[in-house]
Amino acid sequence: MEYNITPSYNEEENVWFVTLVGEFDIFNAAELKAKLNDLVAEKQINLVLECSNLVFIDSTVLGNLVAVLKNVKAYDGKISLKNLRPNVSKIFKITNLNKIFVIDGEGEANE
Amino acid sequence: MNEFETTEELTAIELSLPANAAYVSAVRQTASSIASRLNFDVDELEDVRSLVSEVCGLLIKKSGGHGGFLIKFDPSDGKKIKISFTLSHAEKVDIEKDDMGLAMIQALADKFDIVPAKNGNLLLSIEKVHKELLL
């Protein structure tokens, strides 16, 4: 299963920009969580996940993203997901997590 | 009918899988390949992939990564795919009702059953029906 997590710091917007490529499931969910948590520990800024080549996620990944979001919210930050594919977007919708993550600029986390 | 088509009925396919997360992607590929023979569309194929992935993930977590489970794909109906998962030595396995994976399975599957078997096995089965038949 090929996958890639590529972080970069966007100085202009002062955000972590993370490109996710491939499939993420129970196998690599912990790795993704650890890398995202490392980023927010280094700089307490917003996270932007670029998902145009993210082809699959499961509930384990979702749960881990929620855990990272908890850390991000501790400093009033946000996690945005950009360019979700329809099948991935569907997963966020059926779990109602589209209401707590900022997805493609639409919707805001419920306070 | 072209040279690749057959009049033989599709028969069940079984996978014996170690309770190892590394193999879940292989199950998704297998499920997708079998479901595509039933002319499921892209959305339905993605649902099938998610379903098998969620059930596998659930069983792997419950088994603590020990042992394995048997997966049986049954497309013989021709209009739906039934996938059953048998986890052995599952006497003490309990599936929490508020598990997110369970919620996803219930949302995506047209039918979902959990049956504790008498011999200590746990049987989970899911069905995905070709949506043309649901209209």
Side-chain angles (χ1 to χ4, degrees):
Chain A
M1 184 173 80
E2 289 194 20
Y3 64 95
N4 213 300
I5 307 165
T6 307
S8 63
Y9 172 58
N10 184 314
E11 196 170 335
E12 187 179 329
E13 295 181 37
N14 192 34
V15 299
W16 283 118
F17 195 85
V18 183
T19 301
L20 302 178
V21 175
E23 300 184 349
F24 288 83
D25 64 7
I26 185 176
F27 175 66
N28 52 7
E31 180 182 344
L32 175 61
K33 179 182 174 183
K35 286 197 173 182
L36 295 180
N37 276 335
D38 284 347
L39 291 176
V40 301
E42 183 180 335
K43 278 184 189 293
Q44 284 82 62
I45 54 179
N46 290 344
L47 269 174
V48 176
L49 306 183
E50 163 51 48
C51 302
S52 56
N53 288 306
L54 172 64
V55 300
F56 183 87
I57 57 168
D58 72 354
S59 61
T60 308
V61 175
L62 291 179
N64 283 1
L65 287 178
V66 171
V68 174
L69 181 62
K70 191 176 174 184
N71 292 337
V72 172
K73 276 183 171 285
Y75 55 81
D76 289 329
K78 291 178 189 173
I79 297 181
S80 304
L81 294 102
K82 302 286 186 189
N83 302 312
L84 288 179
R85 293 191 176 193
N87 62 304
V88 176
S89 179
K90 180 176 179 177
I91 298 304
F92 278 88
K93 285 175 187 168
I94 63 175
T95 55
N96 284 322
L97 290 181
N98 58 321
K99 296 177 183 175
I100 70 165
F101 291 96
V102 180
I103 295 183
D104 279 343
E106 295 178 3
E108 288 288 340
N110 290 326
E111 298 298 330
Chain B
M1 184 170 72
N2 65 39
E3 61 186 304
F4 298 110
E5 291 180 354
T6 174
T7 56
E8 295 176 0
E9 290 181 0
L10 291 169
T11 57
I13 298 104
E14 290 188 354
L15 281 181
S16 176
L17 196 74
N20 185 327
Y23 299 118
V24 176
S25 62
V27 180
R28 288 198 296 273
Q29 287 185 14
T30 303
S32 181
S33 176
I34 296 168
S36 69
R37 294 288 304 274
L38 298 171
N39 295 318
F40 278 15
D41 66 21
V42 171
D43 287 341
E44 291 167 318
L45 288 178
E46 288 296 341
D47 286 352
V48 170
R49 281 162 51 85
S50 286
L51 279 166
V52 296
S53 197
E54 292 300 332
V55 177
C56 286
L58 196 66
L59 294 178
I60 288 169
K61 288 173 195 170
K62 294 302 173 184
S63 68
H66 303 295
F69 46 96
L70 192 66
I71 307 172
K72 182 177 175 183
F73 301 86
D74 186 359
S76 56
D77 181 88
K79 301 166 190 171
K80 66 183 177 194
I81 184 167
K82 181 175 178 179
I83 308 170
S84 55
F85 303 74
T86 305
L87 178 69
S88 56
H89 307 296
E91 296 87 350
K92 296 181 181 177
V93 169
D94 184 35
I95 297 177
E96 295 84 13
K97 291 179 182 175
D98 58 353
D99 183 276
M100 192 188 301
L102 190 65
M104 277 181 58
I105 294 166
Q106 290 170 328
L108 293 173
D110 293 310
K111 194 174 178 186
F112 172 55
D113 293 303
I114 302 177
V115 182
K118 291 179 183 177
N119 55 359
N121 291 344
L122 183 67
L123 174 67
L124 283 80
S125 70
I126 54 176
E127 281 186 18
K128 190 70 180 173
V129 181
H130 202 301
K131 67 182 171 191
E132 285 182 1
L133 299 174
L134 294 175
L135 296 174

